[in-house]
Amino acid sequence: MSTRAELERAERKLVEAGVASPRTDAELLMSYVTGVPRALLLVSARLDEVQRRSYLELVEARARRVPLQHLTGSAPFRYVELEVGPGVFVPRPETELLAGWAVEQASAMEDPVVVDLCTGSGAIALSLVHEVPRSRVHAVELDERAFGWAQRNLDGTGVDLRHGDMADAFEELTGQVDVVVSNPPYIPLEAWESVSAEVRDHDPALALWSGDDGLDAMRVLERTAWRLLKSGGVVGAEHADVQGISAPQVFAGRWSDVQDHRDLAERPRFVTARKP
């Protein structure tokens, strides 16, 4: 069977399974198996029998809605590549905007101290030390399996990574932090049915669900950020697109410059605030 025919067959399989981006995923899996870049697959990729069996197995797994990144073992995020797999939340492109905001804030400071709460795979923390090398980055993750993935991704980077709850994290840094950033859990428990199979069945529960309104973790984050930040310090946190009003309200009152920001699809995506 030709490469084109293999891709078309895989695409049909993924369409039938309800995968959101069937052609892209078929191509990425073939690129992973053959080592040939996506743009050159039809020109250069020729699967031998071992590669064909491997490819078919991966396509079958993707059709069962195993996340693509779990199958390839990696996920791109801004300018870095992360190791991911079962037990860790797969970083999303939307979160790159929040990470970019944190990078901009840290870049404007001389020796920034940054804390990444609920670091997951370590995506935001890794982006910060990669793009702002002079920054001192601290990160915390509660889920034990996710913490293991963060260790792999942050090993040797200088990030101060700890296993624990964000509620009482980094007490020795109280009042000394310039930037707090977080992609906390924010899905309401009642939204179970609306969540994709890839997320619901494979991302860790601790990274997803956050009470009846999805903002339980955001409230903890607000208190922790207030404790950690020095006067004039800033906090940024991702939220669901339906929380464009409710998430900023968590920071109403004692915070200044509370703003909500939209993603590339013009959906509400993250809130920022400044400690007066």
Side-chain angles (χ1 to χ4, degrees):
M1 184 178 292
S2 69
T3 298
R4 184 184 299 275
E6 290 279 10
L7 285 169
E8 290 175 349
R9 182 171 69 170
E11 182 181 8
R12 288 193 299 271
K13 179 83 174 178
L14 298 182
V15 167
E16 292 169 2
V19 172
S21 50
R23 181 68 181 196
T24 297
D25 287 16
E27 291 176 351
L28 287 171
L29 288 173
M30 183 171 286
S31 180
Y32 171 70
V33 168
T34 63
V36 176
R38 275 183 67 196
L40 300 177
L41 285 174
L42 294 179
V43 177
S44 303
R46 298 292 182 271
L47 279 72
D48 60 31
E49 195 53 41
V50 173
Q51 290 174 327
R52 181 171 286 104
R53 284 198 300 270
S54 178
Y55 181 62
L56 292 176
E57 289 172 2
L58 289 170
V59 171
E60 287 287 345
R62 187 69 189 98
R64 296 194 301 273
R65 307 299 288 275
V66 176
L68 174 73
Q69 297 86 350
H70 285 194
L71 298 174
T72 62
S74 67
F77 188 84
R78 287 181 67 83
Y79 304 105
V80 298
E81 194 83 18
L82 295 139
E83 290 187 44
V84 296
V88 69
F89 182 82
V90 176
R92 296 337 193 237
E94 295 89 343
T95 308
E96 294 185 12
L97 298 177
L98 172 63
W101 170 85
V103 165
E104 289 177 6
Q105 298 300 313
S107 296
M109 303 171 184
E110 190 167 339
D111 292 302
V113 178
V114 185
V115 170
D116 177 14
L117 302 173
C118 308
T119 195
S121 64
I124 295 177
L126 185 59
S127 290
L128 280 158
V129 292
H130 179 76
E131 298 180 53
V132 193
R134 67 180 182 279
S135 61
R136 287 178 287 159
V137 181
H138 307 262
V140 65
E141 173 54 44
L142 178 60
D143 186 274
E144 187 170 355
R145 295 180 73 192
F147 176 76
W149 287 103
Q151 281 183 309
R152 298 188 201 186
N153 289 315
L154 299 175
D155 183 45
T157 65
V159 173
D160 173 21
L161 173 66
R162 303 189 193 179
H163 183 207
D165 194 323
M166 68 169 167
D168 55 8
F170 305 111
E171 291 185 348
E172 75 280 8
L173 294 178
T174 295
Q176 302 177 44
V177 177
D178 297 294
V179 181
V180 170
V181 61
S182 179
N183 181 14
Y186 51 69
I187 303 176
L189 293 172
E190 65 181 19
W192 171 267
E193 293 297 334
S194 66
V195 177
S196 71
E198 287 88 344
V199 173
R200 187 179 64 230
D201 299 339
H202 296 279
D203 281 334
L206 272 177
L208 302 178
W209 316 107
S210 191
D212 292 339
D213 64 356
L215 294 172
D216 283 2
M218 188 73 76
R219 297 183 183 96
V220 176
L221 188 158
E222 185 271 339
R223 294 192 294 270
T224 301
W226 184 266
R227 171 175 59 82
L228 289 173
L229 288 171
K230 60 178 65 170
S231 295
V234 290
V235 58
E238 185 170 320
H239 59 69
D241 54 9
V242 297
Q243 296 167 340
I245 295 176
S246 58
Q249 285 177 341
V250 173
F251 295 86
R254 57 181 176 175
W255 296 84
S256 64
D257 301 332
V258 179
Q259 299 180 49
D260 204 60
H261 305 259
R262 294 179 176 267
D263 60 22
L264 296 178
E266 284 300 311
R267 295 171 298 194
R269 184 51 59 194
F270 68 96
V271 57
T272 60
R274 183 177 301 276
K275 183 177 180 179

